[in-house]
Amino acid sequence: MNFTLKIWRQKNANAKGSFQTYPLKDVSPEMSFLEMLDYLNNQLISQGKEPVTFEHDCREGICGSCGLYINGRPHGPQRSTTTCELHMRDFKDGETIVVEPWRSKAFPVIKDLIVDRSSFERIMHAGGFVNVNVGCAPESNSSPIGKLIADKVFDAAVCIGCGACVAACKNSSAMLYAAAKIAQYAMIPQGKVEAKERVDKMVKQMDTEGFGFCSNTYACEFDCPKGISTDFIALMNREFFSSKACKQKHA
Amino acid sequence: MIKLDSKIPEGPLAEKWSRYKAGLRLVNPANKKKIDIIVVGTGLAGAGAASALGELGYNVKVFCFQDSPRRAHSVAAQGGINAAKNYRNDNDSIYRLFHDMMKGGDYRAREANVYRAAEVSNDVIDHFTAMGVPFARDYGGSLDTRSFGGVQVSRTFYAKGQTGQQCLLGTYSSLNRQIAKGTVKMFPRRDMLDIVMVDGKARGVITRNLVSGELERHSAHAVVLATGGYGTVFYLSTLGLGSNASAAWSAYRKGAVFANPSFIQIHPTSIPVLNDYQCKLTLMSESLRNDGRVWVPKEKGDKRHANEIPEEGRDYYLERRYPAFGNLVPRDVASRAAKERCDAGYGVGDTGLSVYLDFKDAINKQGEKAIRDKYGNLFEMYEKITGINPYKQPMRIYPAGHYTMGGLWVDYNLMTTIPGLYAIGESNFSDHGANRLGASSLMQCSGDGYFILPNTISDYLSEDIRTGKISTDQPAFEEAEKQVADRIQKIMAVGGKETASSFHKQLGKIMWDHCGMRRDAEGLKKGMELLIQLEEEFWSNICVPGTDKELNQELEKALKVADFFEVGRLMCEDALQREESCGAHFREEHQTETGEAKRNDANFAFVAAWEYQGPAAKPKLHKEALEFKYVELKERSYK
Amino acid sequence: MALAGMFLMIFLIFHLATNLLMLAGDGGKAFSEAVTFLSESPLIKVMEYVLFAGFLIHILLGVILQLHNYRSRPVKYHTRLRSETSTFSRFMFHTGVIIFVFLVIHLINFFFIRLGWVPQPDYAAHKHDFYSVAVVLFKNPWYTAIYLVSFVFLGFHLKHAFQSSFQSLGLNHTKYTPAIKVIGTIYALGISVGFAIIPVYFLFFY
């Protein structure tokens, strides 16, 4: 297969970037999208040019490192698929493929296609945990959690932190990311204790980072490689309002 | 002169850990604030240790090469995590878990360590549950378990096919909690490139900031390596592409001995290589072998479509060779059997390097829905990668490098032979002997990080309460930084033609062919020669574009590959020395008449610990004899 | 945003109900009585202010949201967003602006007459005689067209708004949310068609 690649190149965070066009021949349909980029990089290096920098690690769709904005969609055209799981057979021969980094004020570009997602980290630091020390855990089966709830908690917990929700959102909002974590803990007894404080702090941090507001377009759910439901956003909203209503003074 | 002292405490097996713990020295809370600890790596072991140490009040600095600690490769573990909870009333116990691990490891692990790992496994599950890790539950709301290869009880806790992810995210949350509290400082996007030794003790690390390219000095009273295994030595493996041996290797170069490097697990069920540019193999969980049947055509080079080969034309070779365990034989056995068939010319697919894993019978018997419920996400993953629907035709699988049982030698305290340098999780040679049982790596990593290291490290640190801050302006830091800088300059200066990945690929092929699933003396020697040649070529023809003072992924790769030549050589050296077959280590010269592994307990019941003697010199072998008081050494038979 | 929007949606129902009285076929008697009653009721007087506040909050918040969201992505994508979303949800601001323009025209035509800001037209019997005003206006095909187009966009706006407001307030449920979505569509259709019938009736059948 042959492709024309139009890729965003940017030397570093302060440099001005631009699109570069690379024709690429003899691509195997069996290649994953990232292997295709490896193949391109190999050619660039042999031509004495700088390879395209992109983030990746596990290449099996679970670490959340990779994230490219491909032809107008985060992680490309396939649903429930990360960039590393995307294959070239999903594209048309001869197609022009435009590859961009995630775009958001809270995700500044570091180099080429790599963005700084530390804003996600700070949202987690604000409260994405249960306050429990090593050694003070009760026996696991002492607080049963029904299977249906447990399954729902799992559905929220599968977030891989890739940032596709922000990339897909026209408002570049991080609601789905924050909601997944808040919902995971709000639904179980371990996390309920401090649920109100948690939602308050995490939402505040999210707003500080410069993410946009949610306008319920649900693009995040469609483009989430793990298919996390926007129902969790509603749950977060509910938690948020009830936290505000309680007016507890948080430490 | 290094003398191995495993510091295994006296006393009955079941009481060793609790008695030993009671006698360990402590650091009082006020003094903990004066003590710095560096943790490298943020997988289950590293992030667990860092958060536990942070909770205790130490100042912890944590490093990882990813942009976030949540991306460490523990995230990719699928199947589950073992614990001896006996929730099933199937007569499980700490002793039974211990025994299974000893047997599964083909009697090449330390009894005391393995028992301790089994002992803390229950605390690990409780802690994860308390942190909100969503383990699978049954309708009554209690935790559910499933069975795994090589054992007769159901003790594996799981979260669908993403147990590693859920455990890691739980651990990540506890790390975040400490970061928020200020006890832990996180340094992402850093490669650890060297250990700094002051007066014979590990006192710091040199890291490279992967964004700016600057070298940084970090000091501490103790350094903990939680940097995982070296399975990427095969290039194609189930590991993350960033996984590497460099951190552990820098410790080895500074005098930490390296144990059992040749013990490397090849996982039998990975998706085979599909194209020449592939750099990663994706695992299909071991649990699939519960319902899938493994087969190859009876006729050599049968090119018919799998669905067109009738029942009588199929050779279910695992069921044929191992009627007692059938498709559920342990990983090492299943891998070797697959290789044997493919080498004999019965392999399927374009390359002839794969076998079928067929669910036809299971689907006919249980219905497609039942299979979808059990393995839905794995089937989907398979279809995504290969474009083939495994409900309609069999999966193709082939073994792939997966887990390294070998690693830095540690004593009972998890300290390496360098004082103040600890190794936890997969990076130590640990508790798995010559072969790891499924679902015991998450267990061991979390146990090491949360429950063992935080106790043992205080014993060492109690001597450091008067030391005060360690200055990074000392000559030792300067020198270590200079060495790292020189190495980087040396690589940058070569200006050759070939990329790091290309070298890595060649290296992987040498290792796979000569030090893979089946080894022999001649091949191992040949492998070592080839490695030396390739290393020479590397240093004269490596091409690293760009500069070292920027984000440069090619440089990162080259630095990692440069270390792998030595890793590979040591693996061959160790495999050559071990004149027996045990667990994952199979020597052609040592097999039974039916082609099974033949152990030599009289001469090889020891841990082979290698001491670095310089870049070209042959490393020195130290032997730690293994004593077995609580298990009887038997032949592992699955027939 | 959602609360103000919900309030406005309730107002629309009352507004529509009143307007439909125009079609009673009694020469606008019932309608005029209703208008007079409403204009003089003290409760409605108070509600008028609340309604204005509702519009103001909804519009202001909408503008603030849009500005903030625009700034959250300082460097735009080269390729147009192709993520699957309902088309209406993406253009809430745009449809909102159109509705706002309509609102201004609408107020000039009717409400401002009552307030005396706009001189009372000759054909109106008194400042509450919206019926006559409406009849004259809707006889003009241009006016009818503007109204109809606006109602179409109002429908688009409401289609998303209805269920979105529930989502924003966290009022979702596995069972009821699908129902809310259906009701939302019916509501949006009902309001826009309901309002549209009136000018069409006056243009063609009166």
PDB file of all heavy atoms in Angstrom, chain B residues 100-126:
ATOM      1  N   ASP B 100       3.488 -24.942  45.493  1.00  0.00           N
ATOM      2  CA  ASP B 100       3.251 -24.823  44.052  1.00  0.00           C
ATOM      3  C   ASP B 100       4.327 -23.981  43.380  1.00  0.00           C
ATOM      4  O   ASP B 100       4.771 -24.287  42.271  1.00  0.00           O
ATOM      5  CB  ASP B 100       1.871 -24.204  43.787  1.00  0.00           C
ATOM      6  CG  ASP B 100       0.737 -25.194  44.049  1.00  0.00           C
ATOM      7  OD1 ASP B 100       1.013 -26.413  44.069  1.00  0.00           O
ATOM      8  OD2 ASP B 100      -0.407 -24.750  44.248  1.00  0.00           O
ATOM      9  N   MET B 101       4.714 -22.898  44.063  1.00  0.00           N
ATOM     10  CA  MET B 101       5.738 -22.034  43.473  1.00  0.00           C
ATOM     11  C   MET B 101       7.096 -22.723  43.419  1.00  0.00           C
ATOM     12  O   MET B 101       7.847 -22.571  42.457  1.00  0.00           O
ATOM     13  CB  MET B 101       5.868 -20.728  44.267  1.00  0.00           C
ATOM     14  CG  MET B 101       4.742 -19.744  43.978  1.00  0.00           C
ATOM     15  SD  MET B 101       4.882 -18.283  45.006  1.00  0.00           S
ATOM     16  CE  MET B 101       6.231 -17.416  44.194  1.00  0.00           C
ATOM     17  N   MET B 102       7.387 -23.479  44.447  1.00  0.00           N
ATOM     18  CA  MET B 102       8.675 -24.192  44.470  1.00  0.00           C
ATOM     19  C   MET B 102       8.718 -25.218  43.330  1.00  0.00           C
ATOM     20  O   MET B 102       9.683 -25.305  42.583  1.00  0.00           O
ATOM     21  CB  MET B 102       8.874 -24.918  45.807  1.00  0.00           C
ATOM     22  CG  MET B 102       9.145 -24.034  46.990  1.00  0.00           C
ATOM     23  SD  MET B 102      10.613 -23.003  46.829  1.00  0.00           S
ATOM     24  CE  MET B 102      11.931 -24.210  46.859  1.00  0.00           C
ATOM     25  N   LYS B 103       7.622 -25.960  43.214  1.00  0.00           N
ATOM     26  CA  LYS B 103       7.574 -26.987  42.182  1.00  0.00           C
ATOM     27  C   LYS B 103       7.547 -26.352  40.795  1.00  0.00           C
ATOM     28  O   LYS B 103       8.292 -26.744  39.888  1.00  0.00           O
ATOM     29  CB  LYS B 103       6.336 -27.875  42.386  1.00  0.00           C
ATOM     30  CG  LYS B 103       6.221 -28.975  41.358  1.00  0.00           C
ATOM     31  CD  LYS B 103       4.900 -29.716  41.455  1.00  0.00           C
ATOM     32  CE  LYS B 103       4.778 -30.675  40.262  1.00  0.00           C
ATOM     33  NZ  LYS B 103       3.415 -31.127  40.046  1.00  0.00           N
ATOM     34  N   GLY B 104       6.697 -25.352  40.645  1.00  0.00           N
ATOM     35  CA  GLY B 104       6.591 -24.668  39.357  1.00  0.00           C
ATOM     36  C   GLY B 104       7.939 -24.094  38.935  1.00  0.00           C
ATOM     37  O   GLY B 104       8.273 -24.075  37.758  1.00  0.00           O
ATOM     38  N   GLY B 105       8.707 -23.625  39.904  1.00  0.00           N
ATOM     39  CA  GLY B 105      10.025 -23.053  39.621  1.00  0.00           C
ATOM     40  C   GLY B 105      11.090 -24.120  39.470  1.00  0.00           C
ATOM     41  O   GLY B 105      12.281 -23.785  39.412  1.00  0.00           O
ATOM     42  N   ASP B 106      10.669 -25.348  39.420  1.00  0.00           N
ATOM     43  CA  ASP B 106      11.570 -26.487  39.239  1.00  0.00           C
ATOM     44  C   ASP B 106      12.684 -26.515  40.291  1.00  0.00           C
ATOM     45  O   ASP B 106      13.826 -26.853  39.996  1.00  0.00           O
ATOM     46  CB  ASP B 106      12.163 -26.492  37.822  1.00  0.00           C
ATOM     47  CG  ASP B 106      12.232 -27.908  37.244  1.00  0.00           C
ATOM     48  OD1 ASP B 106      11.919 -28.862  37.989  1.00  0.00           O
ATOM     49  OD2 ASP B 106      12.598 -28.044  36.066  1.00  0.00           O
ATOM     50  N   TYR B 107      12.320 -26.136  41.522  1.00  0.00           N
ATOM     51  CA  TYR B 107      13.241 -26.244  42.669  1.00  0.00           C
ATOM     52  C   TYR B 107      14.542 -25.484  42.458  1.00  0.00           C
ATOM     53  O   TYR B 107      15.625 -26.009  42.690  1.00  0.00           O
ATOM     54  CB  TYR B 107      13.509 -27.710  42.994  1.00  0.00           C
ATOM     55  CG  TYR B 107      12.237 -28.514  43.112  1.00  0.00           C
ATOM     56  CD1 TYR B 107      11.804 -29.334  42.078  1.00  0.00           C
ATOM     57  CD2 TYR B 107      11.436 -28.389  44.252  1.00  0.00           C
ATOM     58  CE1 TYR B 107      10.618 -30.030  42.174  1.00  0.00           C
ATOM     59  CE2 TYR B 107      10.249 -29.086  44.351  1.00  0.00           C
ATOM     60  CZ  TYR B 107       9.838 -29.907  43.310  1.00  0.00           C
ATOM     61  OH  TYR B 107       8.661 -30.580  43.407  1.00  0.00           O
ATOM     62  N   ARG B 108      14.421 -24.275  41.982  1.00  0.00           N
ATOM     63  CA  ARG B 108      15.622 -23.455  41.877  1.00  0.00           C
ATOM     64  C   ARG B 108      15.428 -22.105  42.564  1.00  0.00           C
ATOM     65  O   ARG B 108      16.086 -21.133  42.240  1.00  0.00           O
ATOM     66  CB  ARG B 108      16.010 -23.263  40.393  1.00  0.00           C
ATOM     67  CG  ARG B 108      16.535 -24.551  39.719  1.00  0.00           C
ATOM     68  CD  ARG B 108      17.862 -24.996  40.312  1.00  0.00           C
ATOM     69  NE  ARG B 108      18.303 -26.286  39.800  1.00  0.00           N
ATOM     70  CZ  ARG B 108      18.090 -27.458  40.412  1.00  0.00           C
ATOM     71  NH1 ARG B 108      17.443 -27.498  41.572  1.00  0.00           N
ATOM     72  NH2 ARG B 108      18.534 -28.592  39.895  1.00  0.00           N
ATOM     73  N   ALA B 109      14.477 -22.063  43.527  1.00  0.00           N
ATOM     74  CA  ALA B 109      14.265 -20.827  44.286  1.00  0.00           C
ATOM     75  C   ALA B 109      14.536 -21.089  45.762  1.00  0.00           C
ATOM     76  O   ALA B 109      14.584 -22.227  46.202  1.00  0.00           O
ATOM     77  CB  ALA B 109      12.839 -20.344  44.087  1.00  0.00           C
ATOM     78  N   ARG B 110      14.677 -19.989  46.516  1.00  0.00           N
ATOM     79  CA  ARG B 110      14.934 -20.111  47.955  1.00  0.00           C
ATOM     80  C   ARG B 110      13.646 -20.383  48.707  1.00  0.00           C
ATOM     81  O   ARG B 110      12.677 -19.625  48.570  1.00  0.00           O
ATOM     82  CB  ARG B 110      15.455 -18.778  48.468  1.00  0.00           C
ATOM     83  CG  ARG B 110      16.912 -18.619  48.414  1.00  0.00           C
ATOM     84  CD  ARG B 110      17.225 -17.320  49.173  1.00  0.00           C
ATOM     85  NE  ARG B 110      18.421 -16.733  48.632  1.00  0.00           N
ATOM     86  CZ  ARG B 110      18.595 -15.433  48.518  1.00  0.00           C
ATOM     87  NH1 ARG B 110      17.658 -14.595  48.899  1.00  0.00           N
ATOM     88  NH2 ARG B 110      19.722 -14.973  48.035  1.00  0.00           N
ATOM     89  N   GLU B 111      13.660 -21.376  49.544  1.00  0.00           N
ATOM     90  CA  GLU B 111      12.451 -21.707  50.304  1.00  0.00           C
ATOM     91  C   GLU B 111      11.942 -20.536  51.127  1.00  0.00           C
ATOM     92  O   GLU B 111      10.760 -20.203  51.096  1.00  0.00           O
ATOM     93  CB  GLU B 111      12.736 -22.890  51.239  1.00  0.00           C
ATOM     94  CG  GLU B 111      12.737 -24.231  50.532  1.00  0.00           C
ATOM     95  CD  GLU B 111      12.828 -25.382  51.523  1.00  0.00           C
ATOM     96  OE1 GLU B 111      13.299 -25.176  52.654  1.00  0.00           O
ATOM     97  OE2 GLU B 111      12.436 -26.498  51.153  1.00  0.00           O
ATOM     98  N   ALA B 112      12.850 -19.890  51.859  1.00  0.00           N
ATOM     99  CA  ALA B 112      12.416 -18.834  52.789  1.00  0.00           C
ATOM    100  C   ALA B 112      11.769 -17.674  52.047  1.00  0.00           C
ATOM    101  O   ALA B 112      10.735 -17.147  52.475  1.00  0.00           O
ATOM    102  CB  ALA B 112      13.606 -18.344  53.609  1.00  0.00           C
ATOM    103  N   ASN B 113      12.360 -17.279  50.928  1.00  0.00           N
ATOM    104  CA  ASN B 113      11.795 -16.160  50.159  1.00  0.00           C
ATOM    105  C   ASN B 113      10.428 -16.508  49.586  1.00  0.00           C
ATOM    106  O   ASN B 113       9.508 -15.705  49.610  1.00  0.00           O
ATOM    107  CB  ASN B 113      12.726 -15.783  49.000  1.00  0.00           C
ATOM    108  CG  ASN B 113      13.914 -14.990  49.468  1.00  0.00           C
ATOM    109  OD1 ASN B 113      14.592 -15.386  50.414  1.00  0.00           O
ATOM    110  ND2 ASN B 113      14.160 -13.871  48.818  1.00  0.00           N
ATOM    111  N   VAL B 114      10.336 -17.708  49.036  1.00  0.00           N
ATOM    112  CA  VAL B 114       9.076 -18.104  48.424  1.00  0.00           C
ATOM    113  C   VAL B 114       7.975 -18.176  49.475  1.00  0.00           C
ATOM    114  O   VAL B 114       6.859 -17.711  49.261  1.00  0.00           O
ATOM    115  CB  VAL B 114       9.234 -19.459  47.692  1.00  0.00           C
ATOM    116  CG1 VAL B 114       7.897 -19.940  47.161  1.00  0.00           C
ATOM    117  CG2 VAL B 114      10.239 -19.334  46.565  1.00  0.00           C
ATOM    118  N   TYR B 115       8.318 -18.719  50.625  1.00  0.00           N
ATOM    119  CA  TYR B 115       7.311 -18.829  51.676  1.00  0.00           C
ATOM    120  C   TYR B 115       6.825 -17.441  52.096  1.00  0.00           C
ATOM    121  O   TYR B 115       5.639 -17.196  52.283  1.00  0.00           O
ATOM    122  CB  TYR B 115       7.855 -19.587  52.894  1.00  0.00           C
ATOM    123  CG  TYR B 115       6.735 -19.984  53.828  1.00  0.00           C
ATOM    124  CD1 TYR B 115       6.056 -21.186  53.654  1.00  0.00           C
ATOM    125  CD2 TYR B 115       6.314 -19.127  54.840  1.00  0.00           C
ATOM    126  CE1 TYR B 115       4.995 -21.534  54.468  1.00  0.00           C
ATOM    127  CE2 TYR B 115       5.252 -19.460  55.659  1.00  0.00           C
ATOM    128  CZ  TYR B 115       4.601 -20.670  55.473  1.00  0.00           C
ATOM    129  OH  TYR B 115       3.537 -21.007  56.270  1.00  0.00           O
ATOM    130  N   ARG B 116       7.763 -16.522  52.209  1.00  0.00           N
ATOM    131  CA  ARG B 116       7.394 -15.163  52.599  1.00  0.00           C
ATOM    132  C   ARG B 116       6.471 -14.517  51.545  1.00  0.00           C
ATOM    133  O   ARG B 116       5.495 -13.854  51.886  1.00  0.00           O
ATOM    134  CB  ARG B 116       8.655 -14.319  52.787  1.00  0.00           C
ATOM    135  CG  ARG B 116       8.353 -12.882  53.144  1.00  0.00           C
ATOM    136  CD  ARG B 116       9.608 -12.109  53.460  1.00  0.00           C
ATOM    137  NE  ARG B 116      10.490 -12.019  52.297  1.00  0.00           N
ATOM    138  CZ  ARG B 116      11.669 -11.409  52.323  1.00  0.00           C
ATOM    139  NH1 ARG B 116      12.126 -10.870  53.444  1.00  0.00           N
ATOM    140  NH2 ARG B 116      12.423 -11.361  51.235  1.00  0.00           N
ATOM    141  N   ALA B 117       6.816 -14.722  50.271  1.00  0.00           N
ATOM    142  CA  ALA B 117       5.970 -14.160  49.213  1.00  0.00           C
ATOM    143  C   ALA B 117       4.544 -14.690  49.333  1.00  0.00           C
ATOM    144  O   ALA B 117       3.564 -13.951  49.171  1.00  0.00           O
ATOM    145  CB  ALA B 117       6.546 -14.498  47.841  1.00  0.00           C
ATOM    146  N   ALA B 118       4.435 -16.001  49.638  1.00  0.00           N
ATOM    147  CA  ALA B 118       3.109 -16.597  49.788  1.00  0.00           C
ATOM    148  C   ALA B 118       2.409 -16.031  51.022  1.00  0.00           C
ATOM    149  O   ALA B 118       1.201 -15.780  51.020  1.00  0.00           O
ATOM    150  CB  ALA B 118       3.231 -18.109  49.886  1.00  0.00           C
ATOM    151  N   GLU B 119       3.203 -15.799  52.057  1.00  0.00           N
ATOM    152  CA  GLU B 119       2.663 -15.334  53.327  1.00  0.00           C
ATOM    153  C   GLU B 119       2.038 -13.936  53.204  1.00  0.00           C
ATOM    154  O   GLU B 119       0.971 -13.672  53.753  1.00  0.00           O
ATOM    155  CB  GLU B 119       3.819 -15.301  54.332  1.00  0.00           C
ATOM    156  CG  GLU B 119       3.424 -15.330  55.769  1.00  0.00           C
ATOM    157  CD  GLU B 119       4.667 -15.354  56.668  1.00  0.00           C
ATOM    158  OE1 GLU B 119       5.754 -15.796  56.206  1.00  0.00           O
ATOM    159  OE2 GLU B 119       4.550 -14.917  57.820  1.00  0.00           O
ATOM    160  N   VAL B 120       2.713 -13.042  52.483  1.00  0.00           N
ATOM    161  CA  VAL B 120       2.171 -11.679  52.402  1.00  0.00           C
ATOM    162  C   VAL B 120       1.110 -11.536  51.311  1.00  0.00           C
ATOM    163  O   VAL B 120       0.491 -10.488  51.178  1.00  0.00           O
ATOM    164  CB  VAL B 120       3.284 -10.616  52.182  1.00  0.00           C
ATOM    165  CG1 VAL B 120       4.262 -10.607  53.354  1.00  0.00           C
ATOM    166  CG2 VAL B 120       4.005 -10.824  50.880  1.00  0.00           C
ATOM    167  N   SER B 121       0.897 -12.608  50.542  1.00  0.00           N
ATOM    168  CA  SER B 121      -0.043 -12.491  49.416  1.00  0.00           C
ATOM    169  C   SER B 121      -1.441 -12.096  49.885  1.00  0.00           C
ATOM    170  O   SER B 121      -2.134 -11.328  49.224  1.00  0.00           O
ATOM    171  CB  SER B 121      -0.093 -13.801  48.636  1.00  0.00           C
ATOM    172  OG  SER B 121      -0.686 -14.818  49.419  1.00  0.00           O
ATOM    173  N   ASN B 122      -1.843 -12.595  51.046  1.00  0.00           N
ATOM    174  CA  ASN B 122      -3.186 -12.260  51.525  1.00  0.00           C
ATOM    175  C   ASN B 122      -3.306 -10.787  51.897  1.00  0.00           C
ATOM    176  O   ASN B 122      -4.326 -10.155  51.655  1.00  0.00           O
ATOM    177  CB  ASN B 122      -3.538 -13.135  52.732  1.00  0.00           C
ATOM    178  CG  ASN B 122      -3.718 -14.588  52.330  1.00  0.00           C
ATOM    179  OD1 ASN B 122      -3.913 -14.880  51.138  1.00  0.00           O
ATOM    180  ND2 ASN B 122      -3.659 -15.482  53.288  1.00  0.00           N
ATOM    181  N   ASP B 123      -2.231 -10.249  52.482  1.00  0.00           N
ATOM    182  CA  ASP B 123      -2.242  -8.819  52.824  1.00  0.00           C
ATOM    183  C   ASP B 123      -2.330  -7.972  51.564  1.00  0.00           C
ATOM    184  O   ASP B 123      -2.943  -6.912  51.552  1.00  0.00           O
ATOM    185  CB  ASP B 123      -0.957  -8.449  53.584  1.00  0.00           C
ATOM    186  CG  ASP B 123      -0.837  -9.208  54.896  1.00  0.00           C
ATOM    187  OD1 ASP B 123      -1.888  -9.605  55.425  1.00  0.00           O
ATOM    188  OD2 ASP B 123       0.297  -9.405  55.374  1.00  0.00           O
ATOM    189  N   VAL B 124      -1.676  -8.461  50.500  1.00  0.00           N
ATOM    190  CA  VAL B 124      -1.688  -7.716  49.245  1.00  0.00           C
ATOM    191  C   VAL B 124      -3.118  -7.578  48.735  1.00  0.00           C
ATOM    192  O   VAL B 124      -3.573  -6.492  48.375  1.00  0.00           O
ATOM    193  CB  VAL B 124      -0.792  -8.414  48.196  1.00  0.00           C
ATOM    194  CG1 VAL B 124      -1.024  -7.824  46.815  1.00  0.00           C
ATOM    195  CG2 VAL B 124       0.677  -8.302  48.588  1.00  0.00           C
ATOM    196  N   ILE B 125      -3.848  -8.699  48.726  1.00  0.00           N
ATOM    197  CA  ILE B 125      -5.234  -8.653  48.234  1.00  0.00           C
ATOM    198  C   ILE B 125      -6.083  -7.722  49.094  1.00  0.00           C
ATOM    199  O   ILE B 125      -6.842  -6.894  48.583  1.00  0.00           O
ATOM    200  CB  ILE B 125      -5.848 -10.081  48.225  1.00  0.00           C
ATOM    201  CG1 ILE B 125      -5.107 -10.959  47.206  1.00  0.00           C
ATOM    202  CG2 ILE B 125      -7.334 -10.047  47.907  1.00  0.00           C
ATOM    203  CD1 ILE B 125      -5.212 -10.508  45.770  1.00  0.00           C
ATOM    204  N   ASP B 126      -5.928  -7.830  50.403  1.00  0.00           N
ATOM    205  CA  ASP B 126      -6.700  -6.953  51.294  1.00  0.00           C
ATOM    206  C   ASP B 126      -6.386  -5.494  51.018  1.00  0.00           C
ATOM    207  O   ASP B 126      -7.284  -4.646  50.974  1.00  0.00           O
ATOM    208  CB  ASP B 126      -6.388  -7.276  52.761  1.00  0.00           C
ATOM    209  CG  ASP B 126      -6.975  -8.613  53.190  1.00  0.00           C
ATOM    210  OD1 ASP B 126      -7.872  -9.104  52.474  1.00  0.00           O
ATOM    211  OD2 ASP B 126      -6.537  -9.156  54.214  1.00  0.00           O
TER     212      ASP B 126
END
